[in-house]
């Protein structure tokens, strides 16, 4: 562990000059990542039983795997493996594949099948795992002068997503990632853009857009000079209507040194300051599944340094079996976020993709967890909305479970929708204790369709509610 001389954190100060104080970390750790071929080189993994290691190898030939020393040494409690939440969050587990898929790959590895065959098997299995949920590839790609812009998505009026090409990996991969298909080297499954120019031109032509969400992967894997190019492009005078620049990142969990001791950490914070000084909100959209991720000195320091630039940090995460499917964990997570000045934002339902079978939690249970966790935070924490499903038609929140005219129902609403007039309209689904996604729900009161469904089908050619 390299954090030998971390300065004890004093009270947070709004003075941005604080970020210059050296040295924050005596010997800055070097980033070292491990992926499938290096699995057995991780000493803590080498100490696990052979059967477990083999299972991990099998799964990591199908689903993306990448982890680094900080996660291994400071976030995972190896005495609690395999049940440790951060181990579940980053390391492949047997149950992440169906028996059938697992056996197919296990077989091939046991008979030492050639690489090309392993690849074919992996591709077939992946194709069964719904690599692009909620019609992302077909429905959300924006066009400029008739040309599709592949590194962008524009689903909701006010917000454009941008996927910079150098930001399409992460410091470590999440086992439940809904963008996992982007990390397996299949060009066809990837959307990324090298073009800040296209982004600026597109935004200039869309005055209704107020928010740009730079996402990935994780844009914070980029060097500062690359991030800087994109952020500076967004300060173009033609883009006065862009008020909020969001950055979606898991780096506070996986590599907080990015903001503390990496060579270009201070430069990065300077760029954040510049965005804020230009009159935009820099919204740092962080991702914390478990309070453990907010427990080290270095993450505390990283949070403080980001906040000192004037950026605002919000937190969102999916609810996942094996990692955070209880109210106590969420309550502790939100309380810790508030203590660090982070604003709780969204609780998501795990999407229908990848290893979903391993992580999914019924909607009814998700709602109870949200409700119970929320009961014991102050109003400052009740900014968090959820549980929310990012489905084809929009983000659908489970607002409650109740009885209407003698029928037990889910009360639902869109918090975001393809059609803005769907937003905030309450609607009802028949209660179903097993349902895990919108497409499994039926309208309440014997109705044929949900209120938005005919329009969704007609306008977007949709045939389901995934
Ligand atoms: C969630 C999401 C957004 C942002 O929605 P907010 O409710 O404004 O945070 C934008 N685009 C897509 C495709 C999304 O899934």
């Amino acid at each position: 562990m390299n954090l030998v001389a971390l300065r004890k954190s004093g009270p947070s100060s709004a003075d941005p000059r604080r970020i210059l104080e050296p040295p924050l970390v005596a010997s800055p750790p070097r980033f070292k990542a491990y992926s499938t071929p290096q699995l057995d080189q991780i000493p803590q993994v080498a100490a696990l039983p052979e059967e477990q290691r083999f299972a991990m190898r099998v799964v990591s030939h199908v689903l993306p795997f990448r982890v680094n020393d900080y996660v291994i040494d400071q976030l995972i409690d190896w005495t609690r493996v395999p049940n440790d939440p951060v181990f579940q969050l980053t390391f492949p587990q047997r149950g992440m594949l169906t028996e059938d898929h697992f056996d197919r790959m296990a077989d091939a590895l046991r008979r030492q099948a050639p690489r090309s065959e392993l690849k074919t098997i992996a591709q077939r299995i992946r194709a069964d795992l719904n690599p692009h949920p909620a019609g992302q590839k077909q429905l959300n790609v924006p066009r400029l002068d008739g040309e599709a812009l592949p590194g962008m998505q524009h689903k909701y009026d006010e917000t454009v997503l941008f996927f910079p090409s150098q930001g399409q990996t992460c410091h470590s991969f999440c086992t439940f990632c809904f963008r996992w298909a982007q990390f397996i080297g299949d060009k066809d499954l990837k959307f990324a853009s090298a073009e800040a120019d296209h982004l600026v031109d597109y935004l200039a032509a869309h005055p209704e857009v107020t928010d740009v969400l730079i996402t990935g992967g994780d844009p914070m894997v980029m060097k500062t000079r690359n991030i800087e190019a994109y952020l500076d492009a967004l300060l173009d005078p033609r883009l006065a209507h862009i008020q909020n620049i969001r950055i979606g990142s898991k780096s506070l969990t996986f590599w907080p040194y990015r903001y503390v001791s990496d060579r270009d950490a201070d430069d990065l914070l300077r760029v954040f300051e510049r965005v804020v000084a230009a009159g935009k909100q820099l919204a740092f959209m962080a991702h914390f599944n478990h309070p453990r991720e907010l427990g080290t000195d270095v993450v505390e320091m990283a949070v403080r340094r980001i906040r000192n630039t004037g950026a605002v940090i919000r937190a969102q995460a999916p609810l996942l079996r094996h990692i955070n499917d209880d109210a106590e964990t969420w309550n502790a997570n939100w309380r810790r976020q508030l203590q660090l000045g982070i604003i709780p934002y969204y609780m998501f339902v795990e999407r229908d993709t990848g290893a979903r079978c391993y992580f999914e939690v019924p909607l009814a249970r998700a709602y109870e967890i949200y409700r119970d966790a929320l009961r014991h935070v102050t109003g400052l924490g009740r900014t968090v909305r959820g549980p929310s499903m990012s489905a084809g038609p929009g983000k659908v929140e489970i607002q409650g479970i109740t009885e209407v005219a003698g029928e037990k129902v889910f009360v639902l609403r869109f918090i975001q929708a393809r059609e803005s007039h769907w937003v905030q309209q309450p609607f009802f689904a028949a209660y179903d204790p097993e349902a895990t996604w919108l497409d499994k729900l039926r309208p309440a009161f014997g109705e044929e369709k949900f209120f938005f469904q005919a329009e969704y089908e007609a306008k977007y050619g949709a045939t389901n509610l995934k």
Side-chain angles (χ1 to χ4, degrees), residues 162-173:
F162 181 63
F163 298 77
S165 60
Q166 310 94 327
Q168 299 312 306
T169 185
C170 297
H171 293 104
S172 178
F173 290 154

Side-chain angles (χ1 to χ4, degrees), residues 191-384:
F191 26 66
S193 175
E195 299 288 349
D197 290 354
H198 284 164
L199 175 66
V200 172
D201 290 346
Y202 181 79
L203 294 173
H206 287 269
E208 77 280 13
V209 177
T210 57
D211 290 34
V212 173
L213 170 55
I214 304 175
T215 182
D218 192 325
M220 288 299 143
V221 301
M222 286 191 277
K223 293 272 176 250
T224 295
R225 63 185 153 74
N226 292 321
I227 299 168
E228 186 172 20
Y230 292 115
L231 291 178
D232 279 343
L234 291 171
L235 304 183
D236 186 302
R238 288 187 294 157
L239 304 185
H241 54 292
I242 303 301
Q243 297 165 1
N244 309 307
I245 299 178
R246 308 196 204 182
I247 297 174
S249 178
K250 181 101 184 160
S251 55
L252 280 170
T253 294
F254 288 148
W255 192 247
Y257 300 102
R258 181 73 191 87
Y259 309 94
V260 175
S261 58
D262 275 7
R263 198 186 294 271
D264 57 355
D266 285 357
D267 295 338
L268 176 64
L269 299 177
R270 289 281 167 273
V271 179
F272 284 9
E273 284 179 346
R274 211 154 68 224
V275 172
V276 175
K280 316 263 186 202
Q281 163 154 214
L282 197 144
F284 191 105
M285 310 304 288
H287 175 183
F288 305 111
N289 300 94
H290 193 279
R292 174 91 58 81
E293 298 161 50
L294 288 164
T296 64
D297 286 344
V298 65
V299 72
E300 206 172 307
M301 186 170 301
V303 165
R304 204 177 63 235
R305 299 186 97 218
I306 292 171
R307 292 187 62 222
N308 278 345
T309 67
V312 175
I313 307 177
R314 289 178 178 74
Q316 52 192 16
L319 168 60
L320 306 150
R321 196 150 54 91
H322 302 290
I323 294 178
N324 61 12
D325 59 333
D326 63 274
E328 294 71 31
T329 299
W330 282 91
N331 180 265
N333 198 3
W334 293 334
R335 281 176 184 239
R336 177 67 177 147
Q337 290 165 18
L338 289 175
Q339 187 183 25
L340 296 174
I342 298 170
I343 302 172
Y345 189 62
Y346 274 141
M347 175 202 261
F348 290 119
V349 178
E350 174 64 351
R351 279 182 166 185
D352 177 18
T353 183
R356 186 239 197 139
C357 60
Y358 186 75
F359 292 112
E360 70 187 351
V361 175
L363 298 173
R365 175 80 191 121
Y367 172 69
E368 287 167 9
I369 291 170
Y370 171 82
R371 179 198 62 197
D372 293 347
L374 200 74
R375 279 180 175 162
H376 303 286
V377 289
T378 72
L380 296 183
R382 293 183 189 170
T383 49
V384 64

